[in-house]
Amino acid sequence: MNKDILIVDDEEDIRQLIAGILQDEGFNTRLAWDYNSIKKEISKRIPALILLDVWLENSKLDGIEILKLIKKSYPNLPIIMISGHGTIQMAINSLNVGAFNFLEKPFDTNLLLLNIKRAIDNAELKKKISQFMDDDVKFIGESSAALLVKSIIEKVAPTKSRVFISGPSGSGKKHIAKLIHNTSKRSSGAIVFVNTKRLIADDIEEELFGRENPDGTPERIGLIEQAHNGTLYIDEATNLCNKSQRRLIKLLTENRFNRVNGKYSVEVDIRIITASSKNIKEMIKNKLFSEDLFYRLNVVPIHVPSLKERIDDIPYFIDYFLENCSKSLGLQNNKILKEHYNQLQSLNLSGNLRQLKSIIENLLIVSQNHTSDEIGKLIMSYDNTKDNENFSNIIQKKMLSLSLKKARELFEKEYINLQMQRFNDNVSKTADFIGMERSALHRKLKSLNKDNK
């Protein structure tokens, strides 16, 4: 993606000369000559870099004063100062205020291009570090359900298409959004996350679109603007208020928006990925979400299945969480042995990946210096699910009135039925977990009149 550079100089021939050099190198350029024109151009769209002359004739503010103001509102925007009458003190002042570098005119073309490249690379590296320094993002899973999701990601990531991710809470929708961004042509840009669940309705407007001062300068830069040349991920998009939904439709239609109280139209180039765990069609039916907005967002739908729908992938996630959590906690992960994977698979993880990660992290902390049997008991203590409650109720209500033989048969039947449900009727996995030969379990299922086709 071509980088957008704002060239600020009060001499038109110098502006045009620099613009020609940069355009030959594949950059997009815009021109400004004083404080007001700079303010207008930045309000339209945040550039990747600014070349800013120190002396600006007929400008309300000089270059150093403008540098201070820009850095206050856009601290991560790289700025290279230029001047035909530079001094060492002027260079020091510029660097102290936040300029990336100071170049004297006339400057060598190769030196100018080198500084521009370094400044942009440095800004992008900072974004990457802040987003991914503790986040190893890769696709996990080999089940048919997982491979279907992977196939869609591989096809949609290189495109510009908007994506709507559905799936139960904790199933990994945010992770999928990161994968799409990281393998897209926008991967050098930022991926900005919007968690609508943490915002009250009045804050969403300002959080997304920002706020403008009466003089046209930004009082607050919104998340949409921060995602320019990158990706905006809106989690639980169905929580957006009606006003925000209408403004989002305008953004998707025109690629521009106005900040709250804004008089300038801000241009942005972003990809929007949205997600929801709610029944979006039901919300549209009940007039709680805009049908027009949904169809604009739902260009490529991706459904992320629950862990119950991809039980074969649980060992892969266990390995992934063990590796990452052990690194972040500074602990060894050799205490959760392979023999316990079946136990972890048998848990009813209604919280999906979020719950599994929490369990693995907890096991790493509390299982140090414990025996394998103790770890097994600890794992089963996490299983206080509805299935267990139902099982316990059946036993309590029926067993006390039965003979020992009948009580054994009841327990065995309910126990095997429950384990078969947990492993989605997979006889091999169930047999492995309960400690029976596969053929023996088949015979037992037949004797219990279990239909196992």
Side-chain angles (χ1 to χ4, degrees):
M1 188 173 293
N2 293 341
K3 301 300 181 183
D4 181 23
I5 297 180
L6 179 60
I7 303 164
V8 185
D9 198 294
D10 58 355
E11 297 184 48
E12 184 178 358
D13 55 343
I14 293 179
R15 295 196 299 269
Q16 296 295 343
L17 175 64
I18 297 174
I21 293 171
L22 298 184
Q23 288 166 9
D24 288 344
E25 295 296 322
F27 292 103
N28 294 327
T29 60
R30 287 183 285 151
L31 308 178
W33 47 91
D34 60 9
Y35 173 68
N36 289 332
S37 59
I38 294 170
K39 186 171 65 174
K40 184 176 180 181
E41 289 299 327
I42 293 179
S43 294
K44 286 181 182 177
R45 187 172 65 253
I46 303 172
L49 177 139
I50 299 177
L51 285 174
L52 177 57
D53 192 9
V54 173
W55 304 109
L56 296 172
E57 191 175 348
N58 299 322
S59 175
K60 178 181 176 181
L61 302 175
D62 66 26
I64 299 295
E65 292 171 317
I66 293 171
L67 171 64
K68 291 178 182 177
L69 285 175
I70 293 174
K71 279 295 177 181
K72 185 177 180 181
S73 297
Y74 306 88
N76 298 320
L77 176 56
I79 301 174
I80 296 175
M81 303 300 292
I82 56 177
S83 178
H85 310 283
T87 65
I88 293 177
Q89 190 58 48
M90 189 181 294
I92 292 173
N93 290 341
S94 298
L95 296 175
N96 284 340
V97 174
F100 178 81
N101 207 348
F102 183 96
L103 300 178
E104 283 192 80
K105 294 187 290 187
F107 32 69
D108 178 76
T109 299
N110 290 330
L111 180 62
L112 172 66
L113 294 172
L114 178 63
N115 271 273
I116 288 173
K117 185 179 186 305
R118 283 180 175 173
I120 292 175
D121 287 348
N122 182 63
E124 291 178 348
L125 181 61
K126 286 180 179 178
K127 288 180 183 177
K128 288 288 183 184
I129 291 173
S130 65
Q131 292 166 19
F132 305 117
M133 62 182 177
D134 61 348
D135 214 354
D136 177 22
V137 183
K138 58 185 177 183
F139 190 85
I140 303 162
E142 296 294 335
S143 67
S144 57
L147 293 178
L148 176 60
V149 173
K150 184 180 181 181
S151 171
I152 300 173
I153 291 172
E154 290 173 345
K155 290 175 183 176
V156 74
T159 72
K160 296 180 179 180
S161 296
R162 293 186 284 274
V163 179
F164 190 93
I165 307 173
S166 60
S169 181
S171 57
K173 298 186 288 295
K174 183 177 180 180
H175 192 88
I176 298 300
K178 289 181 183 178
L179 283 168
I180 294 171
H181 173 78
N182 286 1
T183 52
S184 74
K185 295 176 182 178
R186 296 174 176 269
S187 59
S188 61
I191 178 168
V192 177
F193 301 101
V194 183
N195 188 341
T196 59
K197 289 188 288 188
R198 295 180 182 176
L199 298 170
I200 60 175
D202 291 341
D203 289 341
I204 290 178
E205 284 279 291
E206 200 167 304
E207 187 80 12
L208 280 175
F209 299 96
R211 176 176 289 274
E212 208 167 273
N213 291 315
D215 66 352
T217 59
E219 177 184 336
R220 180 180 183 183
I221 303 300
L223 295 175
I224 290 173
E225 211 166 337
Q226 293 176 36
H228 176 61
N229 282 335
T231 303
L232 183 75
Y233 172 70
I234 306 177
D235 189 25
E236 294 301 344
T238 47
N239 290 342
L240 293 172
C241 63
N242 290 334
K243 187 176 180 182
S244 293
Q245 290 181 40
R246 290 194 297 271
R247 294 187 72 165
L248 204 53
I249 290 173
K250 181 181 178 182
L251 170 66
L252 296 174
T253 305
E254 303 176 4
N255 293 323
R256 66 176 69 231
F257 67 94
N258 287 77
R259 302 186 188 100
V260 175
N261 297 333
K263 63 179 180 179
Y264 290 116
S265 183
V266 182
E267 298 175 9
V268 287
D269 180 4
I270 60 174
R271 179 187 208 166
I272 295 182
I273 299 176
T274 42
S276 180
S277 59
K278 298 177 182 177
N279 186 330
I280 187 75
K281 292 186 177 179
E282 191 67 25
M283 294 191 71
I284 291 171
K285 182 180 177 181
N286 294 326
K287 309 295 183 183
L288 297 174
F289 195 78
S290 166
E291 185 174 21
D292 185 15
L293 176 57
F294 173 66
Y295 288 126
R296 292 174 190 273
L297 296 172
N298 192 44
V299 177
V300 178
I302 296 179
H303 177 73
V304 185
S306 66
L307 273 182
K308 189 174 182 180
E309 298 172 271
R310 51 187 300 194
I311 195 169
D312 290 347
D313 291 331
I314 290 179
Y316 298 105
F317 284 110
I318 294 171
D319 288 337
Y320 176 77
F321 291 140
L322 278 173
E323 182 181 350
N324 283 273
C325 292
S326 60
K327 285 180 182 177
S328 63
L329 295 171
L331 297 172
Q332 300 245 340
N333 68 8
N334 58 351
K335 286 294 178 184
I336 302 178
L337 308 175
K338 291 285 184 182
E339 65 194 73
H340 296 300
Y341 278 29
N342 278 344
Q343 280 184 286
L344 288 164
Q345 277 183 291
S346 75
L347 299 177
N348 191 338
L349 300 170
S350 57
N352 294 292
L353 294 177
R354 190 178 294 125
Q355 183 182 3
L356 179 61
K357 181 181 179 182
S358 177
I359 289 173
I360 296 301
E361 189 170 329
N362 185 256
L363 282 172
L364 278 168
I365 294 170
V366 302
S367 67
Q368 302 298 302
N369 302 318
H370 280 58
T371 66
S372 179
D373 286 344
E374 289 171 332
I375 294 172
K377 291 177 182 177
L378 182 61
I379 291 172
M380 295 315 294
S381 72
Y382 295 118
D383 203 0
N384 57 350
T385 61
K386 187 176 180 181
D387 283 342
N388 272 345
E389 291 170 4
N390 289 341
F391 181 67
S392 178
N393 288 337
I394 291 170
I395 298 301
Q396 288 178 12
K397 289 178 180 179
K398 295 184 179 181
M399 193 172 281
L400 292 177
S401 63
L402 300 175
S403 66
L404 179 60
K405 180 181 178 181
K406 293 293 184 181
R408 281 176 179 166
E409 291 176 353
L410 172 65
F411 178 85
E412 189 176 51
K413 179 179 179 180
E414 296 299 336
Y415 175 77
I416 290 176
N417 283 341
L418 177 61
Q419 297 299 353
M420 286 292 290
Q421 288 173 20
R422 283 180 168 176
F423 289 99
N424 292 331
D425 289 338
N426 186 310
V427 175
S428 296
K429 287 186 178 296
T430 305
D432 189 34
F433 176 72
I434 66 177
M436 290 183 71
E437 292 292 332
R438 188 174 184 275
S439 57
L441 179 58
H442 264 299
R443 289 193 297 272
K444 179 60 68 177
L445 288 168
K446 287 181 180 178
S447 71
L448 296 173
N449 296 319
K450 172 72 176 177
D451 184 10
N452 186 54
K453 293 181 180 180

